[in-house]
Amino acid sequence: MTPETTLALYQRGCKAHPELEVDMPTFATALKRAAPVAGVEGTHDIHAEDLYLACACSIDVPHAIARFEACQGALLQRLGRRAQVAGVDVSELLQLVRVRLFVASSQDAIPAIATYAGTGPLGGWLRIVVARIATELIEKNARERIFLSQKGSTLGDIRDLDGEFERSILRADLRGAFQSALNNAALIMSPEERTVLRQFYVYKIGVDGIAKLLGVHRSNASRAVARARGRLLQETKRQLQPALGLSDSSLNSAFGLMRSDVGLSLERLLQTK
């Protein structure tokens, strides 16, 4: 990333949060975390305003956390109310979220907010953080109930509930970004690839029927469907990474949660393409 680009991003952050003082070297160091995520180059690829705010919070700039609350507090409250449905105490959840975000766990560690890369909206990144902490509280509460009752659910039952909650909350939060990435990926596909996918997902034509329509052997038709679907999913995943600002491992987990929705999403999408 060029010095000119870095300066332009820094100035955007300063303009958005003029009451917070973050020096240029600190911002530039944080900006370096963004480039490896998706090879971003232009200023439009970085959420500079969010990254500047995260930097301010990570280095304890006066009033930075208050500014964070003003910008993201309403979102945290909504996420807390959603977790409450699963039996999570909202105040405990939000207190733990704030501790994880702004307090280092040890002398050598860094607060979680310092890991935000700026390649996706800060709100989207926060949704992932809150969902993971909420699942920890669900398991903790279930362990306490077992200890008190010495009967009922097993640890395996708890983990099943824990995992299902995380999957449900993440799926709900990721669905919009996933559908947008899928839409953009479909536009890149060739007309032939879209036709094959439309025949398979929208018109429910099996591989044998597609083979007849294409005038090819069944195995060739099967490979054509697999190639088109694989390319669409690969391109969708590529577009999701900068949108969500996640690491490779976190993106793989998030993408895995949404793969079961691919058929339904494709059916709706290809009806209009």
Side-chain angles (χ1 to χ4, degrees):
M1 190 171 293
T2 66
E4 292 77 12
T5 299
T6 300
L7 177 60
L9 293 169
Y10 178 71
Q11 290 174 337
R12 276 173 47 189
C14 293
K15 183 178 180 180
H17 309 287
E19 73 277 27
L20 305 179
E21 294 186 10
V22 176
D23 60 75
M24 181 73 162
T26 298
F27 182 82
T29 298
L31 197 56
K32 290 179 181 178
R33 291 195 298 269
V37 172
V40 294
E41 292 293 340
T43 59
H44 63 283
D45 295 314
I46 300 294
H47 292 253
E49 299 81 1
D50 286 346
L51 184 59
Y52 188 96
L53 176 58
C55 284
C57 292
S58 69
I59 61 174
D60 299 325
V61 171
H63 312 300
I65 293 180
R67 178 63 175 166
F68 177 92
E69 292 289 347
C71 295
Q72 303 294 336
L75 172 63
L76 290 177
Q77 290 294 332
R78 289 198 301 272
L79 295 174
R81 289 193 294 271
R82 182 178 297 173
Q84 190 175 29
V85 176
V88 174
D89 182 270
V90 176
S91 61
E92 182 182 11
L93 170 62
L94 296 184
Q95 180 180 9
L96 186 54
V97 167
R98 291 180 175 96
V99 170
R100 294 279 182 87
L101 286 176
F102 306 127
V103 181
S105 58
S106 67
Q107 186 175 358
D108 297 327
I110 59 175
I113 194 69
T115 67
Y116 170 66
T119 53
L122 181 57
W125 181 84
L126 282 174
R127 286 182 171 90
I128 306 295
V129 173
V130 173
R132 288 174 175 169
I133 295 176
T135 58
E136 292 176 14
L137 289 177
I138 290 174
E139 183 171 2
K140 169 181 171 288
N141 293 340
R143 286 179 184 274
E144 290 175 352
R145 288 196 299 271
I146 287 180
F147 179 77
L148 292 174
S149 66
Q150 294 297 311
K151 60 182 180 180
S153 300
T154 65
L155 180 59
D157 295 331
I158 298 170
R159 286 174 176 163
D160 288 343
L161 174 62
D162 174 39
E164 183 56 36
F165 173 74
E166 183 171 15
R167 285 190 292 272
S168 65
I169 192 171
L170 287 178
R171 281 163 64 95
D173 288 326
L174 293 172
R175 188 167 287 115
F178 180 83
Q179 190 64 54
S180 176
L182 195 63
N183 291 346
N184 292 334
L187 295 175
I188 299 175
M189 304 283 288
S190 69
E192 293 78 13
E193 290 170 324
R194 288 199 297 271
T195 295
V196 168
L197 293 176
R198 185 180 297 112
Q199 290 169 342
F200 189 78
Y201 285 105
V202 178
Y203 302 131
K204 309 298 183 184
I205 301 174
V207 171
D208 290 328
I210 292 176
K212 290 181 181 180
L213 291 173
L214 296 179
V216 298
H217 190 271
R218 184 183 190 281
S219 61
N220 292 334
S222 178
R223 284 194 291 270
V225 172
R227 278 197 305 270
R229 184 176 186 274
R231 180 164 181 253
L232 183 63
L233 294 183
Q234 183 179 25
E235 181 60 28
T236 299
K237 184 176 178 181
R238 188 187 70 80
Q239 298 214 20
L240 267 178
Q241 191 162 37
L244 296 178
L246 301 177
S247 64
D248 287 340
S249 59
S250 295
L251 178 66
N252 288 335
S253 298
F255 190 72
L257 293 174
M258 301 305 301
R259 286 182 71 102
S260 60
D261 287 346
V262 167
L264 182 59
S265 298
L266 280 177
E267 182 177 345
R268 291 195 301 265
L269 172 64
L270 293 170
Q271 285 175 340
T272 61
K273 295 298 181 185

